[in-house]
Amino acid sequence: MELYLQFGYGMKGLSIDLSKEWGGANVILSPRDITPDQLEKWSREFEKANVSCLFDPQCFFPKCNHENLIKYSYWRFNLNTSLGSIDSPEVTLIKRLDDYNSIISSDRFIIPGIMRGFDSEWFSLWKRDCLKFSEATRKVVKDRKAILTIALPWDLLCQGEDKIERIIDLTSKFDVDGYYVIAEPYSNQYLVDNPVWMSNLLQLCAGLKLQNREVIVGYANQQFLCLSAAKVNAIASGTYLNVRKFSNKFVKEIEDIKRRSVWYYYPQALSEYKISFLDAAFNSNIIEELKPKNEFLNPYIELIFSGIRPSTTAFNEPLAFKHYLQSLKQQVELCSRQSFGETINANEMLLKTAECRIEFLESNGIYAQSRSFKDVVDVNRFALQRLQATRQFLLDYSWDEI
């Protein structure tokens, strides 16, 4: 499994910087956060910095009128009503999208997907959309792999496993090369505490991978590290929470970014801590307990452990974001092993370590508050155990081929 960057507000420079440090990076571009003119201009800078780009058309909410999205030519017709018509405007849509993919020289074409709330008609509408879009893509797109967006509403992911198996069965008949999975979080949570939601997402990804197709999961965070057990090709994450969890950011604007707190990610605890609690740790002489192990040390966090109160240093959001993504990239690599069993063990060790570190820090008065992994450890454990119960044999047997 790899880490891709989910493009968001202010991520151009960060993407280029990390690509230079990593020796290359894959970025899923967001038309909400980059205008058509910027797309053309920045594509040359991305190419120079060895940044490989994919274009997510973000058609999740067709009635959206976001000021940046409507600047794109493919948004200049009523996508929502056209999908249900007898005529097929899908080919026109795909042609316009292919033009933007050509600008960034993408090797994979992300086919649009719509996010609909789950109801009795969900499967029929979803199947109709997938077939129309994928068939139009095969007619138009000749030199790129076709990656179908599967947009999953939270209420579907909280249904029984039979609904997930139905999706897997239907996708096996689609003429595509892979999937771009978008999962709406339960209760709009950053770290989801619903075990059924997490287990169903893991089951779905495993079923898709067992079709021997590429699977990329967008809008991810550290909770998605367990997807390595499904041998997912990549998870994509970014800076602010609106690119680490999926939400309807295409209709309503997010809160003022400037009011947000700076958070420090402690990878061993899978949790993030505000600077004020780093100060508390400093005053209690346990700040070193929040220092990552050697493989996670990087220059972005040197100021925090420089021997002075963290809040008085120049540690800021850009440094915090780079540290988070650097750490997540390393954890992705550590969780991805040569066999299914080894990958399960690596994930179990990750959860056990996080549990112990959170308990130790809390016993000393250091809390991660809303970004604590404490209530999520058992959620991911359940998902991994359920995966073993349902697909261990197939994953063991197919691990080297998928």
Side-chain angles (χ1 to χ4, degrees):
M1 190 166 77
E2 297 179 59
L3 177 68
Y4 286 9
L5 298 178
Q6 192 89 47
F7 197 85
Y9 176 84
M11 282 189 62
K12 177 203 170 190
L14 179 144
S15 301
I16 290 174
D17 289 346
L18 289 179
S19 181
K20 289 178 179 177
E21 180 175 336
W22 296 349
N26 288 280
V27 177
I28 302 177
L29 294 180
S30 159
R32 179 195 181 274
D33 300 291
I34 180 173
T35 67
D37 289 341
Q38 289 173 329
L39 183 74
E40 188 163 3
K41 179 182 177 182
W42 294 357
S43 64
R44 294 187 287 272
E45 297 180 57
F46 286 141
E47 183 178 6
K48 188 176 180 180
N50 200 22
V51 176
S52 299
C53 298
L54 287 80
F55 185 84
D56 175 5
Q58 297 180 324
C59 296
F60 306 111
F61 304 101
K63 292 183 180 179
C64 161
N65 61 351
H66 189 277
E67 60 180 1
N68 279 347
L69 283 177
I70 61 176
K71 293 178 181 177
Y72 284 82
S73 63
Y74 67 90
W75 212 272
R76 294 174 193 162
F77 65 95
N78 193 332
L79 178 63
N80 187 54
T81 58
S82 294
L83 283 174
S85 68
I86 297 175
D87 298 328
S88 291
E90 293 79 22
V91 168
T92 300
L93 169 67
I94 298 301
K95 283 181 178 178
R96 294 177 181 181
L97 287 173
D98 198 40
D99 289 339
Y100 292 114
N101 277 267
S102 294
I103 290 172
I104 60 173
S105 302
S106 64
D107 60 354
R108 286 160 291 178
F109 182 95
I110 296 180
I111 303 171
I114 296 174
M115 182 70 72
R116 288 190 173 91
F118 182 69
D119 58 23
S120 59
E121 296 183 344
W122 190 89
F123 277 98
S124 61
L125 293 175
W126 174 75
K127 180 181 178 182
R128 181 201 69 186
D129 295 345
C130 290
L131 287 173
K132 282 190 174 184
F133 284 140
S134 58
E135 288 171 1
T137 299
R138 285 306 188 194
K139 290 178 182 178
V140 174
V141 180
K142 304 299 182 183
D143 56 349
R144 312 180 209 282
K145 290 183 178 179
I147 307 296
L148 176 66
T149 299
I150 301 180
L152 303 164
W154 71 267
D155 39 0
L156 170 59
L157 283 169
C158 292
Q159 300 294 315
E161 288 182 4
D162 60 308
K163 301 295 191 298
I164 302 303
E165 296 302 327
R166 188 174 176 186
I167 295 175
I168 295 169
D169 180 62
L170 288 170
T171 56
S172 67
K173 301 174 178 65
F174 295 156
D175 182 17
V176 296
D177 301 298
Y179 306 99
Y180 176 48
V181 179
I182 304 297
E184 183 180 40
Y186 171 78
S187 227
N188 197 35
Q189 294 174 333
Y190 173 45
L191 300 173
V192 175
D193 62 10
N194 187 313
V196 174
W197 184 94
M198 189 70 249
S199 177
N200 278 338
L201 178 59
L202 183 56
Q203 293 284 345
L204 174 68
C205 290
L208 297 176
K209 275 301 295 179
L210 285 167
Q211 297 175 14
N212 200 22
R213 301 189 193 181
E214 183 174 6
V215 177
I216 302 167
V217 180
Y219 298 91
N221 55 56
Q222 61 268 30
Q223 186 173 11
F224 289 55
L225 288 167
C226 69
L227 297 182
S228 57
K231 211 176 183 185
V232 161
N233 295 79
I235 58 173
S237 189
T239 54
Y240 295 101
L241 293 197
N242 68 340
V243 285
R244 297 188 200 174
K245 67 168 184 175
F246 181 84
S247 61
N248 190 354
K249 62 177 183 173
F250 311 101
V251 174
K252 50 185 180 293
E253 293 293 336
I254 59 172
E255 63 188 81
D256 185 2
I257 289 174
K258 294 180 181 178
R259 294 200 299 267
R260 299 190 172 197
S261 300
V262 177
W263 294 81
Y264 160 72
Y265 180 55
Y266 177 37
Q268 273 75 37
L270 294 170
S271 303
E272 296 163 77
Y273 295 82
K274 289 181 179 177
I275 299 301
S276 56
F277 269 102
L278 296 185
D279 281 353
F282 178 85
N283 292 340
S284 301
N285 295 317
I286 60 167
I287 187 67
E288 289 293 314
E289 295 291 344
L290 283 155
K291 189 173 183 178
K293 291 183 179 179
N294 291 336
E295 63 265 29
F296 291 102
L297 287 176
N298 59 63
Y300 308 127
I301 56 172
E302 288 177 350
L303 291 172
I304 294 176
F305 304 101
S306 60
I308 57 178
R309 186 173 290 106
S311 63
T312 64
T313 70
F315 184 74
N316 55 20
E317 275 191 336
L319 291 173
F321 291 150
K322 287 183 177 180
H323 164 67
Y324 174 80
L325 292 167
Q326 174 68 31
S327 299
L328 192 60
K329 181 177 185 294
Q330 290 178 285
Q331 289 181 305
V332 163
E333 294 169 357
L334 287 171
C335 286
S336 305
R337 301 301 178 95
Q338 296 300 310
S339 70
F340 175 68
E342 290 173 336
T343 303
I344 288 289
N345 291 339
N347 275 276
E348 289 177 345
M349 181 59 67
L350 184 77
L351 295 175
K352 183 176 181 180
T353 300
E355 194 171 43
C356 292
R357 295 311 296 164
I358 292 168
E359 181 179 351
F360 171 81
L361 290 169
E362 288 189 350
S363 71
N364 284 275
I366 309 302
Y367 296 88
Q369 300 172 288
S370 63
R371 299 197 188 182
S372 173
F373 212 79
K374 180 179 181 179
D375 294 333
V376 183
V377 169
D378 287 339
V379 170
N380 279 32
R381 275 202 183 114
F382 169 78
L384 291 167
Q385 290 168 356
R386 189 67 194 139
L387 181 67
Q388 289 175 279
T390 58
R391 287 185 163 84
Q392 180 170 352
F393 175 80
L394 287 174
L395 288 167
D396 264 330
Y397 181 77
S398 307
W399 195 256
D400 292 335
E401 281 74 44
I402 61 175

